[in-house]
PDB file of all heavy atoms in Angstrom:
ATOM      1  N   ASP A  50      36.361 152.629 253.187  1.00 93.00           N
ATOM      2  CA  ASP A  50      37.664 152.194 252.664  1.00 93.00           C
ATOM      3  C   ASP A  50      38.116 150.864 253.285  1.00 93.00           C
ATOM      4  O   ASP A  50      39.144 150.329 252.893  1.00 93.00           O
ATOM      5  CB  ASP A  50      38.734 153.288 252.836  1.00 93.00           C
ATOM      6  CG  ASP A  50      39.035 153.592 254.295  1.00 93.00           C
ATOM      7  OD1 ASP A  50      38.373 153.021 255.182  1.00 93.00           O
ATOM      8  OD2 ASP A  50      39.948 154.415 254.533  1.00 93.00           O
ATOM      9  N   LEU A  51      37.333 150.351 254.227  1.00 94.00           N
ATOM     10  CA  LEU A  51      37.610 148.992 254.734  1.00 94.00           C
ATOM     11  C   LEU A  51      37.583 147.995 253.569  1.00 94.00           C
ATOM     12  O   LEU A  51      38.284 146.993 253.585  1.00 94.00           O
ATOM     13  CB  LEU A  51      36.544 148.585 255.763  1.00 94.00           C
ATOM     14  CG  LEU A  51      36.731 149.083 257.203  1.00 94.00           C
ATOM     15  CD1 LEU A  51      35.466 148.816 258.004  1.00 94.00           C
ATOM     16  CD2 LEU A  51      37.927 148.423 257.856  1.00 94.00           C
ATOM     17  N   PHE A  52      36.758 148.317 252.568  1.00 93.00           N
ATOM     18  CA  PHE A  52      36.617 147.422 251.414  1.00 93.00           C
ATOM     19  C   PHE A  52      37.668 147.680 250.333  1.00 93.00           C
ATOM     20  O   PHE A  52      37.849 146.869 249.445  1.00 93.00           O
ATOM     21  CB  PHE A  52      35.218 147.578 250.786  1.00 93.00           C
ATOM     22  CG  PHE A  52      34.102 147.206 251.711  1.00 93.00           C
ATOM     23  CD1 PHE A  52      33.331 148.181 252.322  1.00 93.00           C
ATOM     24  CD2 PHE A  52      33.823 145.868 251.985  1.00 93.00           C
ATOM     25  CE1 PHE A  52      32.293 147.839 253.191  1.00 93.00           C
ATOM     26  CE2 PHE A  52      32.793 145.508 252.845  1.00 93.00           C
ATOM     27  CZ  PHE A  52      32.029 146.499 253.456  1.00 93.00           C
ATOM     28  N   SER A  53      38.318 148.846 250.394  1.00 90.00           N
ATOM     29  CA  SER A  53      39.219 149.192 249.284  1.00 90.00           C
ATOM     30  C   SER A  53      40.693 149.220 249.666  1.00 90.00           C
ATOM     31  O   SER A  53      41.560 149.045 248.821  1.00 90.00           O
ATOM     32  CB  SER A  53      38.820 150.545 248.689  1.00 90.00           C
ATOM     33  OG  SER A  53      39.026 151.566 249.628  1.00 90.00           O
ATOM     34  N   SER A  54      40.995 149.465 250.941  1.00 89.00           N
ATOM     35  CA  SER A  54      42.420 149.498 251.290  1.00 89.00           C
ATOM     36  C   SER A  54      42.653 148.965 252.698  1.00 89.00           C
ATOM     37  O   SER A  54      41.817 149.150 253.580  1.00 89.00           O
ATOM     38  CB  SER A  54      42.963 150.931 251.174  1.00 89.00           C
ATOM     39  OG  SER A  54      42.305 151.773 252.082  1.00 89.00           O
ATOM     40  N   PHE A  55      43.783 148.305 252.864  1.00 91.00           N
ATOM     41  CA  PHE A  55      44.144 147.768 254.174  1.00 91.00           C
ATOM     42  C   PHE A  55      45.342 148.545 254.694  1.00 91.00           C
ATOM     43  O   PHE A  55      46.345 148.703 253.995  1.00 91.00           O
ATOM     44  CB  PHE A  55      44.481 146.280 254.062  1.00 91.00           C
ATOM     45  CG  PHE A  55      44.944 145.688 255.370  1.00 91.00           C
ATOM     46  CD1 PHE A  55      44.031 145.340 256.359  1.00 91.00           C
ATOM     47  CD2 PHE A  55      46.300 145.492 255.612  1.00 91.00           C
ATOM     48  CE1 PHE A  55      44.454 144.807 257.572  1.00 91.00           C
ATOM     49  CE2 PHE A  55      46.731 144.956 256.828  1.00 91.00           C
ATOM     50  CZ  PHE A  55      45.818 144.614 257.804  1.00 91.00           C
ATOM     51  N   ILE A  56      45.238 149.060 255.925  1.00 92.00           N
ATOM     52  CA  ILE A  56      46.334 149.840 256.487  1.00 92.00           C
ATOM     53  C   ILE A  56      47.070 149.047 257.563  1.00 92.00           C
ATOM     54  O   ILE A  56      48.276 148.865 257.497  1.00 92.00           O
ATOM     55  CB  ILE A  56      45.827 151.198 257.017  1.00 92.00           C
ATOM     56  CG1 ILE A  56      45.358 152.058 255.821  1.00 92.00           C
ATOM     57  CG2 ILE A  56      46.927 151.950 257.774  1.00 92.00           C
ATOM     58  CD1 ILE A  56      44.352 153.104 256.141  1.00 92.00           C
ATOM     59  N   SER A  57      46.331 148.557 258.549  1.00 94.00           N
ATOM     60  CA  SER A  57      46.937 147.707 259.581  1.00 94.00           C
ATOM     61  C   SER A  57      45.820 146.992 260.335  1.00 94.00           C
ATOM     62  O   SER A  57      44.655 147.380 260.245  1.00 94.00           O
ATOM     63  CB  SER A  57      47.778 148.539 260.559  1.00 94.00           C
ATOM     64  OG  SER A  57      46.929 149.436 261.262  1.00 94.00           O
ATOM     65  N   ILE A  58      46.196 145.973 261.093  1.00 97.00           N
ATOM     66  CA  ILE A  58      45.224 145.246 261.916  1.00 97.00           C
ATOM     67  C   ILE A  58      44.577 146.227 262.895  1.00 97.00           C
ATOM     68  O   ILE A  58      43.365 146.237 263.112  1.00 97.00           O
ATOM     69  CB  ILE A  58      45.912 144.103 262.706  1.00 97.00           C
ATOM     70  CG1 ILE A  58      46.522 143.084 261.759  1.00 97.00           C
ATOM     71  CG2 ILE A  58      44.922 143.453 263.673  1.00 97.00           C
ATOM     72  CD1 ILE A  58      45.579 142.042 261.230  1.00 97.00           C
ATOM     73  N   TYR A  59      45.450 147.072 263.491  1.00 97.00           N
ATOM     74  CA  TYR A  59      44.988 148.076 264.447  1.00 97.00           C
ATOM     75  C   TYR A  59      43.909 148.952 263.817  1.00 97.00           C
ATOM     76  O   TYR A  59      42.826 149.150 264.371  1.00 97.00           O
ATOM     77  CB  TYR A  59      46.179 148.923 264.901  1.00 97.00           C
ATOM     78  CG  TYR A  59      45.800 150.177 265.682  1.00 97.00           C
ATOM     79  CD1 TYR A  59      45.532 150.102 267.044  1.00 97.00           C
ATOM     80  CD2 TYR A  59      45.729 151.423 265.050  1.00 97.00           C
ATOM     81  CE1 TYR A  59      45.178 151.233 267.761  1.00 97.00           C
ATOM     82  CE2 TYR A  59      45.384 152.557 265.758  1.00 97.00           C
ATOM     83  CZ  TYR A  59      45.108 152.466 267.111  1.00 97.00           C
ATOM     84  OH  TYR A  59      44.757 153.593 267.808  1.00 97.00           O
ATOM     85  N   ASN A  60      44.215 149.478 262.640  1.00 97.00           N
ATOM     86  CA  ASN A  60      43.320 150.372 261.919  1.00 97.00           C
ATOM     87  C   ASN A  60      41.971 149.706 261.629  1.00 97.00           C
ATOM     88  O   ASN A  60      40.908 150.280 261.894  1.00 97.00           O
ATOM     89  CB  ASN A  60      44.020 150.792 260.618  1.00 97.00           C
ATOM     90  CG  ASN A  60      43.423 152.041 260.027  1.00 97.00           C
ATOM     91  OD1 ASN A  60      42.382 151.949 259.376  1.00 97.00           O
ATOM     92  ND2 ASN A  60      44.030 153.190 260.263  1.00 97.00           N
ATOM     93  N   THR A  61      42.034 148.491 261.107  1.00 97.00           N
ATOM     94  CA  THR A  61      40.812 147.770 260.754  1.00 97.00           C
ATOM     95  C   THR A  61      39.974 147.461 261.998  1.00 97.00           C
ATOM     96  O   THR A  61      38.752 147.658 262.006  1.00 97.00           O
ATOM     97  CB  THR A  61      41.161 146.456 260.026  1.00 97.00           C
ATOM     98  OG1 THR A  61      41.926 146.788 258.861  1.00 97.00           O
ATOM     99  CG2 THR A  61      39.916 145.697 259.612  1.00 97.00           C
ATOM    100  N   THR A  62      40.647 147.004 263.064  1.00 98.00           N
ATOM    101  CA  THR A  62      39.937 146.659 264.295  1.00 98.00           C
ATOM    102  C   THR A  62      39.211 147.868 264.870  1.00 98.00           C
ATOM    103  O   THR A  62      38.040 147.792 265.247  1.00 98.00           O
ATOM    104  CB  THR A  62      40.935 146.126 265.349  1.00 98.00           C
ATOM    105  OG1 THR A  62      41.752 145.135 264.733  1.00 98.00           O
ATOM    106  CG2 THR A  62      40.221 145.527 266.539  1.00 98.00           C
ATOM    107  N   MET A  63      39.929 148.998 264.939  1.00 98.00           N
ATOM    108  CA  MET A  63      39.339 150.218 265.498  1.00 98.00           C
ATOM    109  C   MET A  63      38.144 150.664 264.662  1.00 98.00           C
ATOM    110  O   MET A  63      37.097 151.038 265.193  1.00 98.00           O
ATOM    111  CB  MET A  63      40.379 151.341 265.556  1.00 98.00           C
ATOM    112  CG  MET A  63      41.502 151.089 266.524  1.00 98.00           C
ATOM    113  SD  MET A  63      40.986 151.182 268.253  1.00 98.00           S
ATOM    114  CE  MET A  63      41.193 152.918 268.566  1.00 98.00           C
ATOM    115  N   LYS A  64      38.297 150.625 263.333  1.00 98.00           N
ATOM    116  CA  LYS A  64      37.203 151.043 262.453  1.00 98.00           C
ATOM    117  C   LYS A  64      35.968 150.188 262.685  1.00 98.00           C
ATOM    118  O   LYS A  64      34.853 150.708 262.818  1.00 98.00           O
ATOM    119  CB  LYS A  64      37.636 150.951 260.988  1.00 98.00           C
ATOM    120  CG  LYS A  64      38.544 152.086 260.546  1.00 98.00           C
ATOM    121  CD  LYS A  64      39.051 151.865 259.137  1.00 98.00           C
ATOM    122  CE  LYS A  64      39.853 153.065 258.660  1.00 98.00           C
ATOM    123  NZ  LYS A  64      40.521 152.812 257.382  1.00 98.00           N
ATOM    124  N   LEU A  65      36.177 148.874 262.740  1.00 98.00           N
ATOM    125  CA  LEU A  65      35.042 147.971 262.944  1.00 98.00           C
ATOM    126  C   LEU A  65      34.386 148.229 264.299  1.00 98.00           C
ATOM    127  O   LEU A  65      33.159 148.236 264.414  1.00 98.00           O
ATOM    128  CB  LEU A  65      35.495 146.506 262.835  1.00 98.00           C
ATOM    129  CG  LEU A  65      35.901 146.056 261.429  1.00 98.00           C
ATOM    130  CD1 LEU A  65      36.479 144.642 261.452  1.00 98.00           C
ATOM    131  CD2 LEU A  65      34.698 146.101 260.472  1.00 98.00           C
ATOM    132  N   PHE A  66      35.228 148.486 265.319  1.00 98.00           N
ATOM    133  CA  PHE A  66      34.672 148.750 266.644  1.00 98.00           C
ATOM    134  C   PHE A  66      33.856 150.046 266.641  1.00 98.00           C
ATOM    135  O   PHE A  66      32.757 150.103 267.196  1.00 98.00           O
ATOM    136  CB  PHE A  66      35.772 148.821 267.705  1.00 98.00           C
ATOM    137  CG  PHE A  66      35.216 149.147 269.073  1.00 98.00           C
ATOM    138  CD1 PHE A  66      34.598 148.163 269.840  1.00 98.00           C
ATOM    139  CD2 PHE A  66      35.270 150.446 269.566  1.00 98.00           C
ATOM    140  CE1 PHE A  66      34.050 148.468 271.077  1.00 98.00           C
ATOM    141  CE2 PHE A  66      34.718 150.760 270.807  1.00 98.00           C
ATOM    142  CZ  PHE A  66      34.108 149.763 271.567  1.00 98.00           C
ATOM    143  N   PHE A  67      34.387 151.084 266.022  1.00 98.00           N
ATOM    144  CA  PHE A  67      33.684 152.374 266.001  1.00 98.00           C
ATOM    145  C   PHE A  67      32.333 152.248 265.281  1.00 98.00           C
ATOM    146  O   PHE A  67      31.324 152.782 265.743  1.00 98.00           O
ATOM    147  CB  PHE A  67      34.534 153.462 265.333  1.00 98.00           C
ATOM    148  CG  PHE A  67      35.676 153.951 266.190  1.00 98.00           C
ATOM    149  CD1 PHE A  67      36.795 154.538 265.620  1.00 98.00           C
ATOM    150  CD2 PHE A  67      35.637 153.823 267.573  1.00 98.00           C
ATOM    151  CE1 PHE A  67      37.854 154.989 266.413  1.00 98.00           C
ATOM    152  CE2 PHE A  67      36.682 154.268 268.365  1.00 98.00           C
ATOM    153  CZ  PHE A  67      37.798 154.859 267.786  1.00 98.00           C
ATOM    154  N   ILE A  68      32.326 151.548 264.160  1.00 98.00           N
ATOM    155  CA  ILE A  68      31.066 151.375 263.424  1.00 98.00           C
ATOM    156  C   ILE A  68      30.076 150.573 264.270  1.00 98.00           C
ATOM    157  O   ILE A  68      28.932 150.991 264.490  1.00 98.00           O
ATOM    158  CB  ILE A  68      31.303 150.662 262.068  1.00 98.00           C
ATOM    159  CG1 ILE A  68      32.129 151.551 261.134  1.00 98.00           C
ATOM    160  CG2 ILE A  68      29.971 150.310 261.406  1.00 98.00           C
ATOM    161  CD1 ILE A  68      32.525 150.876 259.830  1.00 98.00           C
ATOM    162  N   ALA A  69      30.534 149.424 264.782  1.00 98.00           N
ATOM    163  CA  ALA A  69      29.644 148.541 265.546  1.00 98.00           C
ATOM    164  C   ALA A  69      29.110 149.254 266.792  1.00 98.00           C
ATOM    165  O   ALA A  69      27.910 149.208 267.077  1.00 98.00           O
ATOM    166  CB  ALA A  69      30.385 147.264 265.931  1.00 98.00           C
ATOM    167  N   SER A  70      29.986 149.943 267.522  1.00 98.00           N
ATOM    168  CA  SER A  70      29.551 150.587 268.765  1.00 98.00           C
ATOM    169  C   SER A  70      28.572 151.719 268.483  1.00 98.00           C
ATOM    170  O   SER A  70      27.650 151.957 269.262  1.00 98.00           O
ATOM    171  CB  SER A  70      30.754 151.100 269.563  1.00 98.00           C
ATOM    172  OG  SER A  70      31.448 152.079 268.833  1.00 98.00           O
ATOM    173  N   SER A  71      28.745 152.415 267.346  1.00 98.00           N
ATOM    174  CA  SER A  71      27.827 153.524 267.057  1.00 98.00           C
ATOM    175  C   SER A  71      26.421 152.997 266.760  1.00 98.00           C
ATOM    176  O   SER A  71      25.428 153.582 267.207  1.00 98.00           O
ATOM    177  CB  SER A  71      28.353 154.395 265.913  1.00 98.00           C
ATOM    178  OG  SER A  71      28.339 153.694 264.695  1.00 98.00           O
ATOM    179  N   TYR A  72      26.322 151.873 266.049  1.00 98.00           N
ATOM    180  CA  TYR A  72      24.993 151.311 265.777  1.00 98.00           C
ATOM    181  C   TYR A  72      24.400 150.674 267.024  1.00 98.00           C
ATOM    182  O   TYR A  72      23.186 150.713 267.238  1.00 98.00           O
ATOM    183  CB  TYR A  72      25.048 150.317 264.602  1.00 98.00           C
ATOM    184  CG  TYR A  72      25.123 151.045 263.285  1.00 98.00           C
ATOM    185  CD1 TYR A  72      26.338 151.245 262.640  1.00 98.00           C
ATOM    186  CD2 TYR A  72      23.971 151.598 262.708  1.00 98.00           C
ATOM    187  CE1 TYR A  72      26.418 151.964 261.457  1.00 98.00           C
ATOM    188  CE2 TYR A  72      24.041 152.313 261.516  1.00 98.00           C
ATOM    189  CZ  TYR A  72      25.265 152.494 260.902  1.00 98.00           C
ATOM    190  OH  TYR A  72      25.333 153.209 259.739  1.00 98.00           O
ATOM    191  N   PHE A  73      25.278 150.098 267.864  1.00 98.00           N
ATOM    192  CA  PHE A  73      24.802 149.514 269.113  1.00 98.00           C
ATOM    193  C   PHE A  73      24.231 150.610 270.017  1.00 98.00           C
ATOM    194  O   PHE A  73      23.185 150.430 270.653  1.00 98.00           O
ATOM    195  CB  PHE A  73      25.948 148.758 269.806  1.00 98.00           C
ATOM    196  CG  PHE A  73      25.535 148.061 271.064  1.00 98.00           C
ATOM    197  CD1 PHE A  73      24.546 147.081 271.039  1.00 98.00           C
ATOM    198  CD2 PHE A  73      26.132 148.367 272.274  1.00 98.00           C
ATOM    199  CE1 PHE A  73      24.152 146.428 272.209  1.00 98.00           C
ATOM    200  CE2 PHE A  73      25.745 147.728 273.446  1.00 98.00           C
ATOM    201  CZ  PHE A  73      24.756 146.754 273.414  1.00 98.00           C
ATOM    202  N   THR A  74      24.901 151.765 270.056  1.00 98.00           N
ATOM    203  CA  THR A  74      24.423 152.905 270.842  1.00 98.00           C
ATOM    204  C   THR A  74      23.040 153.343 270.370  1.00 98.00           C
ATOM    205  O   THR A  74      22.138 153.600 271.178  1.00 98.00           O
ATOM    206  CB  THR A  74      25.412 154.083 270.727  1.00 98.00           C
ATOM    207  OG1 THR A  74      26.691 153.638 271.147  1.00 98.00           O
ATOM    208  CG2 THR A  74      24.974 155.262 271.577  1.00 98.00           C
ATOM    209  N   ILE A  75      22.867 153.418 269.050  1.00 98.00           N
ATOM    210  CA  ILE A  75      21.568 153.807 268.493  1.00 98.00           C
ATOM    211  C   ILE A  75      20.495 152.781 268.875  1.00 98.00           C
ATOM    212  O   ILE A  75      19.380 153.140 269.260  1.00 98.00           O
ATOM    213  CB  ILE A  75      21.663 153.968 266.962  1.00 98.00           C
ATOM    214  CG1 ILE A  75      22.523 155.192 266.634  1.00 98.00           C
ATOM    215  CG2 ILE A  75      20.281 154.097 266.333  1.00 98.00           C
ATOM    216  CD1 ILE A  75      22.805 155.367 265.172  1.00 98.00           C
ATOM    217  N   PHE A  76      20.867 151.507 268.811  1.00 98.00           N
ATOM    218  CA  PHE A  76      19.934 150.449 269.212  1.00 98.00           C
ATOM    219  C   PHE A  76      19.522 150.635 270.676  1.00 98.00           C
ATOM    220  O   PHE A  76      18.333 150.554 271.018  1.00 98.00           O
ATOM    221  CB  PHE A  76      20.579 149.074 268.991  1.00 98.00           C
ATOM    222  CG  PHE A  76      19.932 147.974 269.782  1.00 98.00           C
ATOM    223  CD1 PHE A  76      18.673 147.478 269.430  1.00 98.00           C
ATOM    224  CD2 PHE A  76      20.563 147.436 270.908  1.00 98.00           C
ATOM    225  CE1 PHE A  76      18.071 146.479 270.182  1.00 98.00           C
ATOM    226  CE2 PHE A  76      19.961 146.441 271.663  1.00 98.00           C
ATOM    227  CZ  PHE A  76      18.708 145.962 271.294  1.00 98.00           C
TER     228      PHE A  76
END
Side-chain angles (χ1 to χ4, degrees):
Chain A
D50 65 356
L51 278 169
F52 298 104
S53 66
S54 62
F55 176 79
I56 293 155
S57 64
I58 298 277
Y59 168 83
N60 199 280
T61 302
T62 311
M63 293 290 272
K64 283 174 175 172
L65 291 174
F66 178 78
F67 286 156
I68 294 174
S70 62
S71 68
Y72 283 98
F73 183 60
T74 303
I75 291 174
F76 160 73

